Every structure is written in C-alpha cells, then in structure tokens.
Amino acid sequence: MAGLNKVSIDDINVKGKKVLVRVDFNVPLKDGVITNDNRITAALPTIKKLVADGGKVVLCSHLGKPKNGPEDKFSLKPAADRLAELMEGTKVTFAKDDEVVGESAKKAVAEMQDGEIVVLENTRFRGNEETKNGEGFSKELADLVDDEVFVMDAFGSAHRAHASTAGVTKFVKETAVGYLMQKEITYLGNAVENPVRPFVAILGGAKVADKLNVISNLLEKCDTLIIGGGMAYTFLKAEGYEIGTSLVDDEKLSYCKEMLDKANAMGKKLLLPIDTTIAKAFPDPIDGEIETTVVDSHNIPADCMGLDIGPKTAELFTNEVRSAKTVVWNGPMGVFENPTLAKGTLSVAKALAETDATTVIGGGDSVAAVINLGFADKMTHISTGGGASLEYLEGKVLPGIDVIADK
C-alpha cells in the first residue's frame, strides 16, 4: 500500500523555517457559525508540534464549494477564529485575500515570528485548484513559504491532485506528512494490508456502483465480507429473490453475481441480510414516523421496500464482529437518519464498540452514524476522509500521499 513509509513531521527540522501545511478545515457552517469543529481539533497535534518546534506555520484549506470565485459564506475566517481559541497563547493571524496568496498573506507571512500561525483564505476562492490548471497557484503557495517545507495533513483531500495537495510539492525542498495523515495511512493501510485475523469487512450504504472496486478489493483481503444497506438488495436480486420496490442497481446485477461466485471460489464468507425491515414507502420526512414490519429477506412483498436489516440479520452480523480481530466498516445498514430504521446500524455500531478488535470506520455516513449514536470514543480509528478512505480501501494510490517523500 502506497504511503506506509513516508517522511513525517518527526523526521524534519522546522526551526526558523516557513512551513506550508495543507489541513482539512472543511467544517460545517450554519449562518457563519461552525456546527462541528472535529476537523480543526483533529489537526491540532500536527499544528502544535510544528509550533513547538519553532516553525512559522502557514495553514491552507478548502471549505465548501464556492461556485463563482470568492463567496463570504465560505470564508475560512470562522475556522481561523476557532483555531485561535484552541491555540490559546499562540498568535494566529487570518490573511483575508480573495486570491488566497495576495498582499495581506505576503505581509502576514513576512512579519511572522517562529512559532506563530497564519491561516490563508479558502483555496477554492482561486477557482483553479486542480493541478492541471493550477500550476501558477502551486508556485505562489510554495513561494509564500520560501519554497522551504510542505506538510500534507488533509487526508480528506488526498484523493484530489489539486494545487494545494499535490501541485505545491514540485516547488518545495522538503515534504512530510502530519500526524493525522500518518494515523490514517497506518490504520486504514494496516487494517487492509496487514490485518490481524479474522478480518471482517462491513459494507453498507445505498449503491453498489459507489463501491464496486471496494467490494472486489476487500473480498481478496478479508475473511468475511458483510453487505447491508441499500446495496444488499441488488445482491439479493442477483441471487434470484424478489426485492419488491427496494433500491436496486439493475446494471450491476451481473457484477454482484460475479462477486458471489468469487467469494465462493475463494472460500470467503459473504453475508447478506436474512431478514429485512420493510415499509410501503420511503419515510417523508426522512426522520418522520413510519410503519414497518420485518420479513424474511427472500420474501419481500412486491409493493414494499427494504429500509433496514432485521433483528436476525443484526444478530448474525454482530456475532461475526464478535469473533473478529480486525473490522473495517464503511456504510450504514439502513436509513439510519430515521430512529425506527436505525436499529440495524445501531446494533453493528454497538458490536464494534464492545469488541476488543481493531475497529476502523471509514466514509461519511458510517462516521456520522457512529458519532450520532454516541460510539465514537469506542472505535480504534475514525477516518476523516469520505471519498479518500473509500479510494484507499479500493487499493488506489492517492495523489496527495504519493507526492510526499519516502523515508
């Protein structure tokens, strides 16, 4: 797996040097107020280490998806203000420049003392973040720190070859990964490449199409592959069962058959739901009251849809988790946003929380479920990357990791 032996911030000396750090401060905002600062707190160990070592720390990040250049509602100022509160006693300056590297950024960096922080404006305000047309921007970012040091600590953006994630590395003398990045590489990489066995992988979520390569890659690595969520119905249909009006990816039926045959040929367990919580229609609103019944997964009525795994399946899946030594989970077991339809996801989260196995949670929805259900502190590692963790589990080389120097 690429990236397991990268230069880290423990291997470099930053005293008196300017250090550009790509962080992931893509935090949720409501009316200009941060509703969850997890991504900022996750970056603190790296920032504190560089500050303590006497580096002049310049942070850059994207936030949201501004459409036409700069938009005030996507400014990184709230993130810079929150960082200043968390880094009490350390000078934090926000450089307000619509072009990101402008007069105020250059002035702030020129005036920095060792151990101080400058936060740049949202990198997406430039509108040409992609490396293919962002080479000039990459060079400006490197020049801002005198082409000295670049630290990549934004795993959530590591699957994008952007100016601030990969392009900038062409112009700096030293590159390294931060602690958050190192943790992601270690846990996600080791869980899949060198797992303590039995290794159980759990995949959920809506569509098979989103996880084609993940299914195939994990099937080769794990001992048991559990499939729940909306994607399970395509597998059940591929086995020839009636799935009613459940979500289905008809174009992927032959792929699912292929995967079932592959599991069989490799002697791997591939577990699908044996009972299903059904309703006449999808809940509207999503968290509204809904009338449900539980049926055998092979007998879903033609006018009903599966919206969660049933209690027997929950027991089957949790028993498998209990016997595991490594578990990777990506994707909920049902419509977890609805209390009635969250039982399957809750039972899996609870089993993971209670096991002594190494538990790695990847992907936005499973992370949200674990946090919402109150089990976050019981997991070995919760990945900060949605798309990036999926691509990593596929076995892909992530450009934002690939460009960092090897030890």
Side-chain angles (χ1 to χ4, degrees):
M1 177 68 75
L4 287 175
N5 200 27
K6 294 294 177 183
V7 169
S8 96
I9 53 174
D10 287 327
D11 305 316
I12 59 174
N13 175 15
V14 299
K15 185 158 178 57
K17 292 179 186 170
K18 297 188 181 96
V19 186
L20 180 71
V21 188
R22 178 55 159 94
V23 287
D24 183 3
F25 283 1
N26 185 24
V27 290
L29 292 168
K30 192 174 183 184
D31 303 324
V33 177
I34 296 171
T35 55
N36 181 332
D37 68 358
N38 279 357
R39 285 182 166 157
I40 300 174
T41 54
L44 288 178
T46 294
I47 297 168
K48 285 180 172 171
K49 160 78 173 161
L50 295 168
V51 163
D53 286 357
K56 293 171 181 169
V57 182
V58 180
L59 305 178
C60 66
S61 174
H62 76 286
L63 196 159
K65 292 181 177 171
K67 295 273 188 293
N68 308 306
E71 287 181 64
D72 278 350
K73 66 178 179 182
F74 292 120
S75 174
L76 266 186
K77 188 172 191 308
D81 291 347
R82 180 68 186 125
L83 179 68
E85 287 168 15
L86 294 166
M87 293 291 297
E88 200 185 342
T90 300
K91 187 180 176 189
V92 177
T93 306
F94 176 63
K96 174 75 185 139
D97 275 316
D98 283 351
E99 65 271 44
V100 187
V101 182
E103 287 317 307
S104 91
K106 289 172 186 169
K107 182 175 184 289
V109 172
E111 291 171 0
M112 283 178 98
Q113 301 297 314
D114 295 357
E116 292 182 354
I117 299 169
V118 168
V119 181
L120 302 180
E121 186 51 283
N122 187 343
T123 55
R124 294 227 169 125
F125 280 10
R126 278 296 281 254
N128 63 348
E129 251 265 269
E130 291 80 5
T131 303
K132 58 182 178 288
N133 56 8
E135 189 125 307
F137 183 29
S138 299
K139 178 109 179 64
E140 285 172 41
L141 286 167
D143 287 350
L144 191 63
V145 293
D146 299 338
D147 306 340
E148 290 189 316
V149 185
F150 172 71
V151 172
M152 179 60 175
D153 208 31
F155 182 75
S157 302
H159 59 316
R160 308 259 186 249
H162 284 177
S164 65
T165 58
V168 66
T169 59
K170 290 183 201 163
F171 305 106
V172 291
K173 297 180 193 89
E174 284 186 280
T175 58
V177 293
Y179 289 143
L180 183 61
M181 197 78 173
Q182 203 175 16
K183 199 175 165 207
E184 293 276 10
I185 291 167
T186 302
Y187 279 112
L188 272 175
N190 283 350
V192 178
E193 295 303 319
N194 313 301
V196 182
R197 296 186 183 278
F199 170 28
V200 174
I202 307 169
L203 293 177
K207 297 193 190 104
V208 174
D210 294 344
K211 299 203 166 93
L212 290 179
N213 299 331
V214 180
I215 296 166
S216 185
N217 191 45
L218 285 178
L219 204 46
E220 285 169 21
K221 315 280 186 192
C222 69
D223 301 295
T224 301
L225 180 59
I226 291 173
I227 292 180
M231 61 195 285
Y233 305 109
T234 306
F235 276 88
L236 289 167
K237 188 172 178 178
E239 286 193 314
Y241 298 112
E242 169 62 62
I243 58 162
T245 58
S246 305
L247 192 68
V248 67
D249 211 337
D250 280 319
E251 287 175 16
K252 299 293 177 277
L253 287 170
S254 60
Y255 173 84
C256 290
K257 282 195 189 102
E258 228 176 274
M259 289 302 113
L260 290 161
D261 292 343
K262 181 174 174 170
N264 214 8
M266 293 180 80
K268 302 287 177 85
K269 259 198 235 181
L270 195 157
L271 300 182
L272 294 170
I274 52 173
D275 62 344
T276 299
T277 301
I278 60 165
K280 292 281 185 190
F282 198 83
D284 182 24
I286 198 163
D287 57 354
E289 281 187 28
I290 185 166
E291 207 173 296
T292 62
T293 44
V294 175
V295 296
D296 182 287
S297 291
H298 300 164
N299 296 315
I300 296 173
D303 62 344
C304 288
M305 59 170 60
L307 295 168
D308 191 17
I309 58 172
K312 286 182 189 161
T313 304
E315 196 179 336
L316 173 74
F317 289 2
T318 55
N319 282 341
E320 202 65 30
V321 166
R322 285 189 192 107
S323 64
K325 287 279 184 279
T326 305
V327 186
V328 170
W329 178 24
N330 188 301
M333 297 293 100
V335 186
F336 76 98
E337 299 90 342
N338 186 298
T340 310
L341 304 169
K343 290 173 189 157
T345 303
L346 179 64
S347 62
V348 168
K350 196 165 178 291
L352 264 73
E354 289 168 358
T355 179
D356 292 332
T358 296
T359 50
V360 179
I361 317 299
D365 280 345
S366 5
V367 171
V370 165
I371 292 169
N372 294 352
L373 299 169
F375 292 116
D377 60 336
K378 301 284 193 296
M379 304 302 164
T380 312
H381 179 63
I382 293 183
S383 179
T384 54
S389 59
L390 259 184
E391 290 195 16
Y392 210 63
L393 292 175
E394 282 178 31
K396 280 189 181 173
V397 172
L398 306 190
I401 298 175
D402 198 40
V403 291
I404 302 300
D406 291 311
K407 281 189 188 179

